[in-house]
Amino acid sequence: AQSVTQLDSQVPVFEEAPVELRCNYSSSVSVYLFWYVQYPNQGLQLLLKYLSGSTLVKGINGFEAEFNKSQTSFHLRKPSVHISDTAEYFCAVTPPGGGSNYKLTFGKGTLLTVNP
Amino acid sequence: GAVVSQHPSWVICKSGTSVKIECRSLDFQATTMFWYRQFPKQSLMLMATSNEGSKATYEQGVEKDKFLINHASLTLSTLTVTSAHPEDSSFYICSGAGGRANVQFFGPGTRLTVL
């Protein structure tokens, strides 16, 4: 079984400041890792994913995340945030494979609020 | 990226009626579809997993007779909330996954309000 811990439920920052949203996971098997963003009253949009290879992955909207196997972390970062980045961010993991193995385990989410 | 649509985007119904929500993968074949429920300011709770042509697998605590899921084709899954009650009011989100992408693509969600 897997579990995901998002250490901060809310992160307020000022516009153009850097931000890091923290995610740690626990799993007895290797996992794939994802960050999704959810804007109010909308579904989830994939920001980025780590499946294998380079531990630094770049996603959409200027976000990036680094997979750290020894620390079992997958923190999301952006060097300069915009007002439009205000949203809920979810970290998720899934075991490799297909079919029912696609099942995602989500963290509780981090609300990023960007203030002018 | 792959696109998943949901219909309707919001629905209001009277207690005791049934509501059907459609989830379609528009530009890929979703061999597996998932249905989630999300309460305000909370994470997504997986309700069930369905593979095309097979019966859905429900998570513990989810009533399969109340939340009927049909995955009749590789591009369409439906969730029917039968005899809805106010406590069923929630935001329902579907997702689809297929091929070797190992990624779920989510629909925009359906907000259900039961009066």
Side-chain angles (χ1 to χ4, degrees), chain B residues 40-73:
Chain B
K41 300 188 184 300
Q42 293 190 29
S43 188
L44 279 71
M45 182 190 78
L46 179 65
M47 299 174 65
T49 303
S50 72
N51 292 299
E52 184 261 342
S54 302
K55 288 185 178 181
T57 301
Y58 291 80
E59 295 298 301
Q60 192 171 9
V62 178
E63 300 177 61
K64 62 180 180 180
D65 294 330
K66 181 168 189 59
F67 298 99
L68 301 179
I69 292 172
N70 184 279
H71 191 169
S73 76

Side-chain angles (χ1 to χ4, degrees), chain B residues 82-93:
Chain B
T82 61
S83 186
H85 292 286
E87 57 265 30
D88 299 324
S89 298
S90 191
F91 194 52
Y92 292 87
I93 305 176

Side-chain angles (χ1 to χ4, degrees), chain A residues 7-49:
Chain A
L7 296 159
D8 305 295
S9 60
Q10 297 186 52
V11 174
V13 295
F14 288 108
E15 194 174 15
E16 297 183 4
V19 71
E20 178 179 80
L21 306 183
R22 297 180 292 171
C23 172
N24 287 87
Y25 69 93
S26 173
S27 177
S28 58
V29 299
S30 62
V31 293
Y32 292 157
L33 297 126
F34 306 83
W35 275 100
Y36 285 90
V37 60
Q38 184 179 33
Y39 299 102
N41 297 311
Q42 295 187 28
L44 274 65
Q45 180 181 8
L46 180 66
L47 274 179
L48 48 79
K49 61 183 184 290

Side-chain angles (χ1 to χ4, degrees), chain A residues 33-107:
Chain A
L33 297 126
F34 306 83
W35 275 100
Y36 285 90
V37 60
Q38 184 179 33
Y39 299 102
N41 297 311
Q42 295 187 28
L44 274 65
Q45 180 181 8
L46 180 66
L47 274 179
L48 48 79
K49 61 183 184 290
Y50 173 79
L51 305 184
S52 65
S54 173
T55 57
L56 181 63
V57 292
K58 294 187 183 297
I60 62 171
N61 301 341
F63 284 93
E64 64 180 31
E66 185 157 19
F67 170 55
N68 188 317
K69 187 175 182 179
S70 62
Q71 297 187 3
T72 60
S73 68
F74 190 54
H75 300 333
L76 181 71
R77 296 190 292 260
K78 185 170 183 177
S80 176
V81 295
H82 302 130
I83 297 286
S84 59
D85 292 323
T86 295
E88 189 84 28
Y89 291 80
F90 291 97
C91 181
V93 302
T94 186
S100 60
N101 283 337
Y102 279 128
K103 188 184 296 187
L104 285 167
T105 300
F106 283 94

Side-chain angles (χ1 to χ4, degrees), chain B residues 5 13-14 16-17 19 22 30 32-33 35 38 47 49 51 55 57 62 83-84 88 90 97 101 107 112 115:
Chain B
S5 70
C13 69
K14 293 182 178 180
T17 61
V19 175
E22 290 188 351
T32 306
M33 284 188 166
W35 286 94
Q38 186 180 33
M47 299 174 65
T49 303
N51 292 299
K55 288 185 178 181
T57 301
V62 178
S83 186
D88 299 324
S90 191
L112 170 63
L115 303 177

